[in-house]
Amino acid sequence: MTHIDQVIDVRNPATGESVGTVPVTDPDDVAAAVRELRLYQPEWEAIGPNGRKEWLLKLQDWLIDNTEHLADVLQSETAKPRVDALIDPAFAVDLVGYYARRAAKFLGDDHPSPHSPLARVKALTVTYRPYQVVGVITPWNFPLAMPAIDVFPALAAGAAVILKPSEVTPLSAVELARGWAEIGAPPVFKVVTGAGATGAAVVDNADYVQFTGSTATGRKIAQACADRMVPYSLELGGKDPAIVLADADLDRAAHGIAFGGMFNAGQVCISVERVYVEAPVYDEFVEKLTAAVAALRQGADDRESRNDVGALANENQLRIVERHVNEAVAAGARVTTGGKPTGVGTFFEPTVLVDVDHSMSCVAEETFGPTLPVMKVADEDEAVRLANDSIYGLSASVWTGDRTRGERVARRLNAGAVNINDVFANLFNFAMPMGGWGKSGVGARWGGAAGIRKYCRAQAITAPKLPTMTKELFWFPYDMNKLVVAVAAMRLAGARGLRRVDLAKVWRLKGGK
Ligand code: ADP
């Protein structure tokens, strides 16, 4: 029986208006939901990747047919510009198609080559069997795309999924669950709403936990998973650097970094959060970036697209951004555009800061807002050293007219992804792994087959290739002569130089004189 003691009132951050309510699911009900998922998962696994493909493609149809409604709901709980609100469903459509269609290939058995000629007597098979229930816990910045990003590969793998969306923006996830029910798909996907306690209950019951959110919560989840000995994957905070080299196309760099820093009002884990510019082009770049950011239109859209930058997700986020900017200014930084809340809802002006350094919170801490602190560097080496001076390592960008130089710099950066002359490009390439280094995460999502196999346990199966005898060479009773033959054969197959064929050395293993 479901007992709802509490509800969450979801609000539009631009207006403060209430846009819906969801129940707070208590831990017992989360446990019951997981038990129910366990009943249906075996059948979901049994229909195989091609059976699941049919349901996932039906969901894709539903996402396309309901795009405008989904964008309305998403916009109501985030106050995003209309274009941003339409990106979530478009992204979900692309992703579900990829994993639906490729799952059969990605989940196919592997038959690896044996490591040694001696091992050729066995047929080797690796199979991939899903975890029964995957728990997905998501943040508020992309209320539909963040669930999609992990729920779809897990479902394609054959797991059942319990999703706990952010309590700040749960309505889009509820719509996704409604879509799953509406197409008549097997009941292997459930959404539970609530805050930290509901999320913790998901962690207490799932067989694998996929989390996206803050580093502090990620640490708690890792500890809880360690207690239960269940695997997990975490995508956490970031402080992505952009490096602008003197040979870059400065107009593209300025527009690209303005987009990378201000997209979704900077509330993206892979936002550009700090910029390093080689000295010879620093002044010109700052001028161009300031102009690009100052030209952005900010405000609340309805179904029409009029704005580029929307509101921050909540008051708490507004306070963090304001603190970072105020602390920087108090320590000597200069604002070249923006710099304060607009005074309406949770909007904060798109802001460029100069004369900043690594002692300031706007450079050292994750801001998750529309700010771009810019620093002058002497050369590539200094840019790399400062870019790597962070606890985070999610992604980075390098802007240069020389691709070889760009790749050389990329390989020196401690980040899970580096985009040359672009931002976010890795996020639209599901064939690539997306994972954070350092405190930005553990594990990765996607990466082609890896993105679906991560939700599976690999099983190694061996079978004799040759007719079997009553006993294998190694079985009891022990016999030194047989051991010596085996060791000689192993050395011949795997050692090097004279040791491969030194039979006297093998013979001495028999001991005695
Ligand atoms: P953010 O503030 O960026 O959303 P959080 O890490 O606080 O970052 O939240 C991310 C998600 O984790 C949300 O869905 C939230 O409800 C959930 N959450 C918070 N605390 C816990 C916890 N202890 N265990 C599991 N999930 C949690």
Side-chain angles (χ1 to χ4, degrees):
M1 191 185 73
T2 304
H3 28 88
I4 300 166
D5 299 329
Q6 275 182 295
V7 293
I8 292 171
D9 185 18
V10 183
R11 289 183 179 271
N12 178 314
T15 60
E17 171 202 0
S18 174
V19 292
T21 55
V22 291
V24 174
T25 314
D26 75 26
D28 289 343
D29 288 336
V30 173
V34 170
R35 279 198 300 276
E36 204 180 309
L37 289 170
R38 289 192 195 288
L39 295 179
Y40 294 103
Q41 185 276 337
E43 174 62 18
W44 181 242
E45 181 180 350
I47 63 174
N50 287 324
R52 295 193 289 273
K53 178 170 89 175
E54 293 310 313
W55 290 113
L56 291 168
L57 292 180
K58 272 192 189 145
L59 184 69
Q60 187 187 48
D61 296 343
W62 184 89
L63 287 165
I64 291 172
D65 296 346
N66 290 274
T67 286
E68 287 194 84
H69 169 69
L70 289 167
D72 291 345
V73 171
L74 190 148
Q75 221 173 354
S76 77
E77 60 182 344
T78 59
K80 288 187 191 222
R82 187 65 179 175
V83 171
D84 281 359
L86 285 163
I87 288 176
D88 273 54
F91 182 88
V93 164
D94 197 18
L95 184 78
V96 77
Y98 176 70
Y99 275 111
R101 293 191 176 89
R102 298 295 175 91
K105 179 166 176 266
F106 291 161
L107 292 173
D109 291 352
D110 279 340
H111 297 285
S113 306
H115 77 282
S116 151
L118 298 178
R120 289 193 185 281
V121 294
K122 298 290 182 195
L124 305 183
T125 304
V126 183
T127 68
Y128 298 92
R129 296 265 320 275
Y131 290 99
Q132 249 207 324
V133 178
V134 171
V136 175
I137 299 172
T138 54
W140 42 255
N141 55 348
F142 294 93
L144 184 65
M146 284 314 306
I149 220 169
D150 295 315
V151 168
F152 296 163
L155 285 173
V161 177
I162 185 158
L163 165 68
K164 207 299 281 176
S166 169
E167 60 276 27
V168 181
T169 56
L171 302 179
S172 299
V174 169
E175 287 303 296
L176 188 62
R178 191 174 66 78
W180 189 252
E182 213 170 282
I183 62 170
V188 289
F189 170 47
K190 277 185 191 294
V191 171
V192 287
T193 48
T198 309
V202 168
V203 176
D204 285 344
N205 288 279
D207 305 318
Y208 184 108
V209 178
Q210 172 68 47
F211 170 78
T212 308
S214 64
T215 299
T217 304
R219 185 175 288 119
K220 282 190 210 158
I221 287 177
Q223 283 162 349
C225 287
D227 269 350
R228 295 191 54 229
M229 301 273 262
V230 301
Y232 57 88
S233 176
L234 311 172
E235 200 233 284
L236 309 173
K239 191 74 190 172
D240 285 8
I243 295 178
V244 182
L245 298 172
D247 62 0
D249 172 345
L250 292 187
D251 288 307
R252 181 173 172 85
H255 289 295
I257 289 170
F259 179 62
M262 303 301 161
F263 170 57
N264 204 34
Q267 303 170 115
V268 191
C269 48
I270 54 170
S271 279
V272 178
E273 290 240 348
R274 49 203 174 108
V275 187
Y276 302 96
V277 188
E278 274 193 306
V281 295
Y282 174 81
D283 290 337
E284 195 185 344
F285 174 79
V286 169
E287 202 176 298
K288 287 178 189 292
L289 179 68
T290 302
V293 171
L296 297 175
R297 300 160 301 169
Q298 184 170 40
D301 277 357
D302 45 31
R303 273 194 165 185
E304 235 175 278
S305 163
R306 293 188 207 90
N307 293 292
D308 306 306
V309 181
L312 293 168
N314 54 29
E315 290 284 337
N316 189 36
Q317 211 45 44
L318 180 67
R319 277 193 293 274
I320 295 171
V321 178
E322 202 174 1
R323 175 172 67 80
H324 284 190
V325 173
N326 291 346
E327 284 175 1
V329 170
R334 195 159 52 83
V335 171
T336 67
T337 183
K340 54 184 193 311
T342 64
V344 180
T346 54
F347 290 96
F348 193 94
E349 294 172 352
T351 299
V352 176
L353 290 160
V354 294
D355 300 335
V356 295
D357 63 44
H358 280 224
S359 70
M360 297 176 184
S361 52
C362 70
V363 177
E365 295 171 25
E366 186 175 43
T367 308
F368 228 63
T371 61
L372 280 166
V374 188
M375 284 154 282
K376 189 193 292 187
V377 292
D379 54 22
E380 190 180 304
D381 284 346
E382 189 183 12
V384 168
R385 185 173 59 74
L386 289 173
N388 284 340
D389 177 24
S390 172
I391 59 167
Y392 296 115
L394 198 50
S395 54
S397 62
V398 181
W399 303 81
T400 172
D402 176 350
R403 197 178 122 190
T404 312
R405 190 177 179 207
E407 288 193 15
R408 186 177 70 215
V409 173
R411 284 165 202 272
R412 296 175 66 195
L413 293 174
N414 296 331
V418 182
N419 295 303
I420 297 170
N421 292 336
D422 206 350
V423 287
F424 309 151
N426 67 297
L427 191 63
F428 296 94
N429 281 286
F430 312 137
M432 304 270 276
M434 184 205 176
W437 294 10
K439 299 284 186 288
S440 286
V442 174
R445 61 167 62 92
W446 311 335
I452 181 165
R453 286 184 179 176
K454 67 183 266 192
Y455 295 118
C456 297
R457 296 149 302 170
Q459 185 175 51
I461 300 175
T462 74
K465 268 207 244 172
L466 304 172
T468 51
M469 299 168 296
T470 312
K471 284 185 184 180
E472 287 292 316
L473 193 64
F474 288 111
W475 292 358
F476 297 135
Y478 280 156
D479 177 341
M480 262 306 186
N481 289 323
K482 287 197 263 175
L483 177 87
V484 161
V485 171
V487 169
M490 285 164 81
R491 287 188 184 172
L492 185 66
R496 62 175 185 167
L498 280 180
R499 287 181 181 80
R500 286 186 77 179
V501 289
D502 189 343
L503 291 178
K505 220 181 190 116
V506 180
W507 196 249
R508 279 201 295 278
L509 293 176
K510 287 180 55 146
K513 288 274 159 11

